[in-house]
Amino acid sequence: MRRYLYRCPVCRTTSPVCQTPTELKAEGESHRDNRHGGHFPDGERYGEVDRRGRWYDDLGPLTALHARLADAYADLRDPDGMGHRLWAGALAWLTLTTTALTALWATTTALQP
Protein backbone atom coordinates (compact mmCIF):
# COMPACT_ATOMS: atom_id res chain seq x y z
CA MET A 1 0.00 0.00 0.00
CA ARG A 2 1.22 3.48 -0.80
CA ARG A 3 1.25 6.30 1.73
CA TYR A 4 1.30 10.00 0.84
CA LEU A 5 1.78 13.25 2.76
CA TYR A 6 1.21 16.93 2.02
CA ARG A 7 3.52 19.46 3.72
CA CYS A 8 3.00 23.22 3.89
CA PRO A 9 6.18 25.05 5.00
CA VAL A 10 4.31 28.33 5.57
CA CYS A 11 1.88 26.88 8.12
CA ARG A 12 4.41 24.25 9.22
CA THR A 13 1.78 21.56 8.98
CA THR A 14 1.79 18.07 7.54
CA SER A 15 -1.38 16.31 6.48
CA PRO A 16 -2.49 13.01 7.91
CA VAL A 17 -1.40 10.00 5.87
CA CYS A 18 -3.35 9.71 2.61
CA GLN A 19 -3.83 6.34 0.91
CA THR A 20 -4.29 7.47 -2.72
CA PRO A 21 -2.93 10.26 -4.93
CA THR A 22 -6.50 11.52 -5.40
CA GLU A 23 -6.94 11.85 -1.63
CA LEU A 24 -3.56 13.63 -1.43
CA LYS A 25 -4.54 16.08 -4.17
CA ALA A 26 -7.83 16.85 -2.41
CA GLU A 27 -5.96 17.40 0.88
CA GLY A 28 -3.54 19.85 -0.74
CA GLU A 29 -6.27 21.76 -2.59
CA SER A 30 -8.40 21.98 0.54
CA HIS A 31 -5.49 23.36 2.55
CA ARG A 32 -4.54 25.89 -0.12
CA ASP A 33 -8.15 27.05 -0.51
CA ASN A 34 -8.86 27.34 3.22
CA ARG A 35 -5.53 28.75 4.43
CA HIS A 36 -3.93 30.50 1.46
CA GLY A 37 -6.86 31.64 -0.70
CA GLY A 38 -5.98 29.13 -3.42
CA HIS A 39 -2.36 30.30 -3.74
CA PHE A 40 0.51 27.82 -3.76
CA PRO A 41 2.90 28.35 -0.82
CA ASP A 42 6.60 28.48 -1.68
CA GLY A 43 8.28 25.23 -0.76
CA GLU A 44 5.06 23.26 -0.68
CA ARG A 45 5.75 19.55 -0.68
CA TYR A 46 3.76 16.41 -1.37
CA GLY A 47 4.64 12.87 -2.26
CA GLU A 48 5.04 9.28 -1.20
CA VAL A 49 6.44 8.33 2.20
CA ASP A 50 7.46 5.05 3.81
CA ARG A 51 5.99 3.58 6.99
CA ARG A 52 8.35 5.72 9.07
CA GLY A 53 7.13 8.90 7.39
CA ARG A 54 10.36 9.52 5.43
CA TRP A 55 10.00 10.99 1.92
CA TYR A 56 11.22 8.53 -0.71
CA ASP A 57 12.70 11.43 -2.70
CA ASP A 58 15.08 12.20 0.19
CA LEU A 59 16.40 8.65 0.46
CA GLY A 60 19.30 7.25 -1.52
CA PRO A 61 18.59 4.52 -4.11
CA LEU A 62 19.58 1.58 -1.90
CA THR A 63 17.83 2.97 1.16
CA ALA A 64 14.68 3.67 -0.87
CA LEU A 65 14.71 0.13 -2.24
CA HIS A 66 15.13 -1.27 1.27
CA ALA A 67 12.30 0.94 2.57
CA ARG A 68 9.95 -0.17 -0.23
CA LEU A 69 10.73 -3.85 0.43
CA ALA A 70 10.32 -3.46 4.18
CA ASP A 71 7.02 -1.62 3.66
CA ALA A 72 5.77 -4.35 1.32
CA TYR A 73 6.66 -7.09 3.81
CA ALA A 74 5.11 -5.21 6.76
CA ASP A 75 1.95 -4.51 4.72
CA LEU A 76 1.37 -8.26 4.41
CA ARG A 77 0.30 -8.34 8.07
CA ASP A 78 -0.76 -4.75 8.74
CA PRO A 79 -1.76 -2.95 5.51
CA ASP A 80 -3.05 0.25 7.17
CA GLY A 81 -0.27 0.67 9.73
CA MET A 82 2.64 3.02 10.09
CA GLY A 83 5.88 2.65 11.99
CA HIS A 84 8.97 0.47 11.75
CA ARG A 85 8.70 -3.30 11.82
CA LEU A 86 12.04 -4.87 12.74
CA TRP A 87 11.27 -8.23 11.14
CA ALA A 88 10.24 -6.53 7.88
CA GLY A 89 13.48 -4.52 7.78
CA ALA A 90 15.56 -7.63 8.44
CA LEU A 91 13.73 -9.58 5.74
CA ALA A 92 14.25 -6.71 3.28
CA TRP A 93 18.02 -6.70 3.95
CA LEU A 94 18.09 -10.48 3.59
CA THR A 95 16.31 -10.17 0.22
CA LEU A 96 18.74 -7.49 -0.99
CA THR A 97 21.80 -9.44 0.17
CA THR A 98 20.60 -12.70 -1.35
CA THR A 99 19.87 -10.97 -4.66
CA ALA A 100 23.31 -9.34 -4.74
CA LEU A 101 25.11 -12.59 -3.89
CA THR A 102 23.11 -14.50 -6.53
CA ALA A 103 24.00 -11.90 -9.16
CA LEU A 104 27.67 -12.07 -8.14
CA TRP A 105 27.64 -15.88 -8.29
CA ALA A 106 25.94 -15.91 -11.71
CA THR A 107 28.44 -13.39 -13.07
CA THR A 108 31.51 -15.26 -11.84
CA THR A 109 30.08 -18.56 -13.09
CA ALA A 110 29.41 -17.09 -16.53
CA LEU A 111 32.93 -15.63 -16.78
CA GLN A 112 34.75 -18.87 -15.94
CA PRO A 113 36.21 -20.70 -18.96
Side-chain angles (χ1 to χ4, degrees), residues 12-62:
R12 296 183 168 230
T13 59
T14 302
S15 71
V17 175
C18 301
Q19 304 299 327
T20 64
T22 306
E23 187 181 342
L24 175 68
K25 184 178 178 183
E27 181 75 31
E29 289 175 358
S30 171
H31 176 80
R32 283 191 295 274
D33 290 342
N34 294 334
R35 300 291 177 138
H36 303 290
H39 294 263
F40 289 84
D42 291 341
E44 176 182 66
R45 189 163 190 194
Y46 56 91
E48 192 174 357
V49 296
D50 67 355
R51 288 177 73 96
R52 289 180 165 179
R54 299 177 299 179
W55 301 88
Y56 280 120
D57 295 342
D58 291 345
L59 302 176
L62 185 61

Side-chain angles (χ1 to χ4, degrees), residues 47-86:
E48 192 174 357
V49 296
D50 67 355
R51 288 177 73 96
R52 289 180 165 179
R54 299 177 299 179
W55 301 88
Y56 280 120
D57 295 342
D58 291 345
L59 302 176
L62 185 61
T63 308
L65 179 59
H66 175 266
R68 285 193 186 275
L69 283 171
D71 290 350
Y73 291 141
D75 284 345
L76 293 174
R77 296 181 107 184
D78 183 20
D80 293 330
M82 290 289 288
H84 179 64
R85 300 289 184 258
L86 182 60

